[in-house]
Amino acid sequence: MSGTPITEIETYGVEHIPDADRTARPLDLFRVAFGGANTFATCVLGAFPILFGLSFWHGLAATGLGLVVGALILAPLSLFGPLNGTNNAVSSSAHLGVHGRVVGSFLSLLTAIAFFSISVWSSGDALVGGAHRLVGLPDTDLSYGVAYAIFAVLVLVVCVYGFRFMLFVNKIAVAAASLLFVLGVFAFAGDFDPSYPGTVAAGDPLFWPSFIGAALIVLSNPVSFGAFLGDWSRYIPADTPRGRVMAAAFLSQLATILPFLFGLATASIIATEAAAYVDPAAPNYVGGLLAVSPGWYFVPVCLIALIGGMSTGTTSLYGTGLDFSSVFTRFSRVQATVFIGILSIVFIFAGRFAANLTQSISTFATLIITCTAPWMVIMMLGYVTRRGWYDPEALQVFNRRQRGGRYWFTHGWNWRGLSAWLISAALALMFVNLPGQFVGPLGDLAGGVDVSLPLGLAVAALLHLVLLAAFPEPREVYGPRGPRRVRSADTPILPIVDAATEPVT
């Protein structure tokens, strides 16, 4: 982006951004989306195929499958920001209603807080662990507390300045973290054995459950970006070719093969040389990495922790402020960012030192992603049936404390989309299978494989299409070209009015 200095505080929240101020490029979206995942947190996910007992090559195949499918699911969600000049939660007003869009706001808010906490904890642990091995820094709660505080405060400052400063940080982070990961080739080349056999062979009854489970964990990483991808793409001009925008989102996730591969390869080394750290009952990837790293690589480990923590933290916390201000419209973006940032920092310290929630927050993040996936499907199907046409002014009714418009539906709620989301999300949660963390009432029906994510995606798609066919939406929501492959109804659209002027039903 060009024009406005990065040190000028961003004033735009979720209101429609004028075309003149939308100067970002698809490359900027790539940098932010890739930078937010090019971290230790992704390396930890990359280690899961080894934790599940797969060989290196089988683990690589599962990782590749999960990444490609996840990136394909994510890519269409990048289109709403350029089209509507606002974030995805506000854009969901078109499919869930101007009040129903709070579902997307809260999903995004909770996902962002969870990943902000995970990024601070994982990066802080790696920084302290590396410094302990490198210079003998005491491995105490005080050291961890100082590391967490440094990360959290730096991230909050960047997010207060806004999108341009965040983009500047990620420009540096993408190149620097990638280079440091590549240095790992030289650090671990002597110990890495691509023929690592794992503990679950191809003919083993547990092979396919392990393979599918590993692929789904990898797939969840791209899906986790779905709710707040529009936070970053809304500065891209509306006339940007849609294929380029989708390609940027898709390639940003394929590029995360770098940290995934780093996690997979180093986990295979840890499993061989320090197996206690990859015990499925109590895995400690960061500790294992430090145990097998050569001394000279401790500095790169600390730098990856610092850079990656900043990158993931800023992309997550930026979304919390934006979505909080979109629900509680009296808050500006800056006020909401400061408020929710302080609350998040308090949660980080209380969760780490008082309540020991570091494991629970990972489970919580998984459950939120499980609920987000059906929401993403409803958005994508809505985009297809609406032929990519939206009314940006009608999307802002909630923010402006108005009523009526194309997306008012029934008192501000579109029960078709909401019903499809609620039923599919509830069913998906029932099939979650995270042994030792959370197992839903139906979690064991698939032979121990967690099928919650694909099940939620499939049920949401089927149910939403059935409801659109059985109960057609008003013709006016489809724009001048009409609906695609669904029926519409001649339902009158109420005019947009201020909420205090007259009743609208």
Side-chain angles (χ1 to χ4, degrees):
M1 294 178 67
S2 59
T4 306
I6 63 171
T7 53
E8 181 175 318
I9 293 179
E10 178 189 3
T11 57
Y12 288 118
V14 294
E15 67 270 21
H16 177 76
I17 299 175
D19 293 341
D21 292 335
R22 293 162 65 180
T23 56
R25 300 168 297 165
L27 178 60
D28 296 321
L29 174 62
F30 172 87
R31 286 168 172 160
V32 175
F34 175 41
N38 196 28
T39 65
F40 267 129
T42 304
C43 295
V44 173
L45 294 180
F48 270 89
I50 302 300
L51 293 176
F52 285 0
L54 297 178
S55 70
F56 172 79
W57 289 112
H58 288 148
L60 183 60
T63 299
L65 176 63
L67 266 185
V68 171
V69 175
L72 288 171
I73 295 172
L74 175 70
L77 273 294
S78 64
L79 297 176
F80 295 96
L83 278 174
N84 300 320
T86 187
N87 72 345
N88 284 359
V90 173
S91 293
S92 72
S93 299
H95 308 296
L96 302 180
V98 296
H99 291 158
R101 63 90 160 173
V102 298
V103 169
S105 295
F106 278 111
L107 286 174
S108 179
L109 179 66
L110 295 174
T111 303
I113 291 176
F115 277 90
F116 176 51
S117 303
I118 291 170
S119 71
V120 170
W121 285 331
S122 61
S123 297
D125 290 350
L127 181 62
V128 172
H132 175 70
R133 294 286 300 274
L134 185 65
V135 297
L137 179 74
D139 189 9
T140 63
D141 284 348
L142 177 61
S143 298
Y144 286 109
V146 171
Y148 299 155
I150 291 173
F151 278 122
V153 172
L154 286 176
V155 166
L156 180 58
V157 169
V158 172
C159 291
V160 166
Y161 276 105
F163 180 77
R164 290 175 177 82
F165 206 156
M166 181 179 71
L167 181 58
F168 173 75
V169 169
N170 276 276
K171 284 180 179 179
I172 298 174
V174 164
S178 298
L179 177 62
L180 293 168
F181 278 129
V182 170
L183 279 178
V185 173
F186 301 98
F188 300 106
D191 298 319
F192 173 60
D193 180 8
S195 63
Y196 170 76
T199 58
V200 179
D204 194 294
L206 292 177
F207 175 77
W208 284 113
S210 300
F211 184 90
I212 295 171
L216 290 176
I217 284 179
V218 174
L219 182 147
S220 70
N221 198 56
V223 170
S224 70
F225 287 94
F228 43 88
L229 196 61
D231 297 354
W232 316 321
S233 66
R234 74 194 205 283
Y235 275 99
I236 297 176
D239 60 358
T240 304
R242 298 180 186 184
R244 291 182 57 199
V245 178
M246 290 183 63
F250 179 77
L251 293 174
S252 71
Q253 298 309 301
L254 291 194
T256 61
I257 189 63
L258 180 61
F260 271 112
L261 184 58
F262 182 91
L264 179 68
T266 52
S268 69
I269 298 172
I270 296 169
T272 302
E273 300 184 3
Y277 290 100
V278 291
D279 180 356
N284 181 5
Y285 170 77
V286 173
L289 179 65
L290 293 170
V292 301
S293 294
W296 67 266
Y297 197 65
F298 292 155
V299 172
V301 166
C302 293
L303 290 175
I304 291 173
L306 178 62
I307 295 169
M310 283 292 294
S311 185
T312 301
T314 52
T315 53
S316 298
L317 187 60
Y318 178 78
T320 64
L322 202 61
D323 283 290
F324 191 81
S325 67
S326 77
V327 176
F328 301 96
T329 55
R330 287 182 173 85
F331 284 83
S332 68
R333 187 202 65 82
V334 173
Q335 291 171 333
T337 299
V338 172
F339 177 73
I340 205 70
I342 291 173
L343 287 182
S344 298
I345 291 171
V346 171
F347 173 78
I348 285 170
F349 278 86
R352 172 61 171 82
F353 298 112
N356 193 25
L357 296 178
T358 50
Q359 183 66 44
S360 300
I361 196 66
S362 299
T363 305
F364 176 71
T366 301
L367 298 181
I368 291 298
I369 293 170
T370 302
C371 293
T372 301
W375 178 88
M376 293 170 64
V377 170
I378 292 167
M379 291 285 285
M380 286 186 280
L381 287 177
Y383 178 91
V384 173
T385 58
R386 305 279 179 87
R387 300 181 185 271
W389 186 90
Y390 294 90
D391 182 353
E393 290 300 309
L395 292 173
Q396 296 292 332
V397 164
F398 181 90
N399 305 329
R400 297 169 180 171
R401 299 186 181 88
Q402 297 173 322
R403 296 185 180 188
R406 299 177 193 270
Y407 307 129
W408 185 251
F409 298 105
T410 305
H411 305 289
W413 306 88
N414 185 355
W415 61 269
R416 304 163 189 82
L418 286 168
S419 298
W421 170 75
L422 185 61
I423 293 172
S424 56
L427 185 62
L429 287 175
M430 295 177 70
F431 276 86
V432 170
N433 190 319
L434 301 172
Q437 301 177 48
F438 179 89
V439 178
L442 305 177
D444 292 323
L445 288 186
V449 179
D450 187 343
V451 297
S452 57
L453 205 56
L455 181 67
L457 293 167
V459 171
L462 178 62
L463 186 56
H464 190 46
L465 289 175
V466 168
L467 290 173
L468 289 178
F471 306 97
E473 293 179 324
R475 189 180 306 277
E476 289 296 318
V477 304
Y478 292 102
R481 298 174 60 193
R484 176 187 281 132
R485 299 189 182 279
V486 294
R487 297 186 299 138
S488 62
D490 291 321
T491 307
I493 297 298
L494 298 169
I496 296 177
V497 298
D498 291 335
T501 58
E502 59 180 273
V504 175
T505 59

